Amino acid sequence: MKKLLFPFCTLCLFLLCILQPSKAVAGAAAGLSLWYCTVLPTLLPCMILSSYLISSELVYHLPPAPLTLVTGWFCGYPMGAKTVADLWKSGGITEKEGTRLLLLCCMPSPMFLTGFLCFGMLRLSLTKALPFLAALYLPPVLFWLPLRLREGKVARRISAIPTKENKPLQIFLNFETAMMEGFLIVAKIGGYLMLFTMLSYFFRSWIRNPFLSSLIPGFLEMTSGIAFTVQSCLSSPLTIALCFSFAAFGGLSGVAQTASVLKSTPFSGRRYLFWKLAQAVLTFGLVILLASCL
C-alpha cells in the first residue's frame, strides 16, 4: 500500500496540472523564481565550498559542531544536513553525533528570517523581531543540549587522517567534484520547491477557511505559506506565530530537500520529521505567547 501511495499522489498532481493549468503555471513560476533569485545564489557557493573543505584534511582539525552550526544556521535548509552527511561520509563524526547535530543545525538562515519574514512580510522592527527569533532558535538548543550532556564526548569514527595521492592537479579535481555535487543538489532543491509550491497554490484556491488556507500551504512549503498567512484575515499574534512555526518546520519541501542530502547515510528521515514538527509546535507556543504579551 505504501509503495502505491506516492505514485498515486504523483498521478493526482499530474491531473491537476492538466485540469488547472493556470494555477499550475503560477505555482511553478513562483517556486522557480524563489529558487533562482534566492536559493541558487545563497546555497550553491556554500555547498561547493563546504563540500571541498570537508573533503580536505582540514575537517580532521576542526570540531564538527561549529562547522555544522555555521553552515546550518547561516546558510539555511538543507545546508546543515548536508554538512552532517558529508562529515559522516568522511569519517569526521559518528552516527550518534550526526543524529544529535541534525537536531541543532537544520534551521532557516538569518537573512531569510530578517529580510523576508520579519521586515518584508510581517513589517517588524529589529527590536520587536528579536524575541520571536529567539523563540525560533531556542527549541533546537533545548533538544540538543540534554543529549549532548548525556552522551558526553564522542570519539571520531577514525582517528588517522587519510593520506591522499599527491597529484599536481588533485586540488582542482577535488574542487570540481565538489562543484558538480553542489550543482546536482541545488537542482534537486529547485524541483522540490517548484512541486511543493504548486501544491500550495492548488490548496490555497480550494480552501476558504483562512486558518486552513494558511496552515496547509505553510505545512507544504514555508515561503508561500508565510506569504499566504500574511494575506489572510487572521489576528496579528496568530499570524506571527504561524509564520515563525512554518520557518521552524521548513515545510515538507524542506524535509524532502533534507532527505535528498541524507541519502546513503544512516540518519532517519522519520526521526528528523518528528523533531522538526516538535520544534514547530514549541516555536508556535512561544511566539504566540510573546505576541500576545508584547
Side-chain angles (χ1 to χ4, degrees):
M1 187 64 181
K2 291 182 179 180
K3 293 182 179 180
L4 297 177
L5 180 61
F6 188 75
F8 176 75
C9 294
T10 305
L11 176 62
C12 291
L13 180 59
F14 176 73
L15 294 176
L16 284 174
C17 291
I18 296 176
L19 297 174
Q20 296 182 315
S22 60
K23 293 184 178 63
V25 171
L32 290 175
S33 176
L34 172 66
W35 174 77
Y36 180 76
C37 297
T38 304
V39 175
L40 183 63
T42 302
L43 286 188
L44 184 56
C46 297
M47 284 185 177
I48 295 173
L49 296 175
S50 65
S51 294
Y52 174 73
L53 288 175
I54 292 173
S55 66
S56 67
E57 297 180 0
L58 182 63
V59 70
Y60 292 91
H61 304 284
L62 295 175
L67 182 61
T68 54
L69 277 179
V70 169
T71 56
W73 284 33
F74 290 94
C75 301
Y77 301 113
M79 274 304 300
K82 182 183 181 301
T83 304
V84 170
D86 288 344
L87 284 172
W88 182 85
K89 291 175 183 177
S90 68
I93 57 175
T94 63
E95 180 182 343
K96 286 186 177 180
E97 193 173 12
T99 300
R100 189 176 67 240
L101 286 173
L102 280 175
L103 304 180
L104 185 65
C105 68
C106 296
M107 299 291 291
S109 69
M111 289 187 295
F112 172 83
L113 292 175
T114 56
F116 175 77
L117 177 56
C118 296
F119 302 152
M121 292 284 104
L122 298 176
R123 307 294 182 184
L124 296 174
S125 63
L126 182 59
T127 55
K128 289 184 178 180
L130 283 177
F132 303 133
L133 293 173
L136 189 147
Y137 281 105
L138 182 61
V141 177
L142 295 178
F143 293 149
W144 171 81
L145 191 58
L147 295 176
R148 179 68 180 85
L149 294 176
R150 185 181 65 183
E151 294 180 6
K153 186 177 180 181
V154 182
R156 296 193 174 192
R157 290 170 62 202
I158 52 180
S159 57
I161 299 175
T163 58
K164 297 184 178 181
E165 297 182 17
N166 188 19
K167 295 181 180 179
L169 297 179
Q170 188 65 45
I171 182 173
F172 298 105
L173 294 175
N174 292 341
F175 188 80
E176 182 179 336
T177 301
M179 185 167 56
M180 295 307 297
E181 181 184 357
F183 281 131
L184 177 60
I185 293 175
V186 83
K188 290 181 182 180
I189 292 173
Y192 284 125
L193 278 175
M194 178 186 68
L195 293 174
F196 279 97
T197 305
M198 285 172 55
L199 280 174
S200 298
Y201 273 64
F202 283 130
F203 277 102
R204 176 71 172 179
S205 64
W206 299 335
I207 303 171
R208 300 304 176 189
N209 182 278
F211 178 76
L212 292 179
S213 65
S214 302
L215 180 65
I216 295 178
F219 181 75
L220 292 171
E221 205 285 308
M222 66 174 179
T223 307
S224 57
I226 289 171
F228 291 151
T229 302
V230 172
Q231 297 169 8
S232 302
C233 299
L234 300 174
S235 65
S236 179
L238 183 58
T239 298
I240 296 173
L242 282 175
C243 289
F244 275 91
S245 61
F246 295 155
F249 176 54
L252 289 181
S253 174
V255 174
Q257 295 168 30
T258 301
S260 69
V261 300
L262 291 179
K263 285 183 178 179
S264 303
T265 68
F267 306 117
S268 171
R270 292 183 179 179
R271 180 178 296 178
Y272 172 80
L273 176 61
F274 170 78
W275 284 114
K276 292 306 291 183
L277 286 171
Q279 180 187 344
V281 171
L282 185 54
T283 298
F284 178 86
L286 292 173
V287 172
I288 202 168
L289 181 63
L290 289 170
S292 302
C293 297
L294 296 177

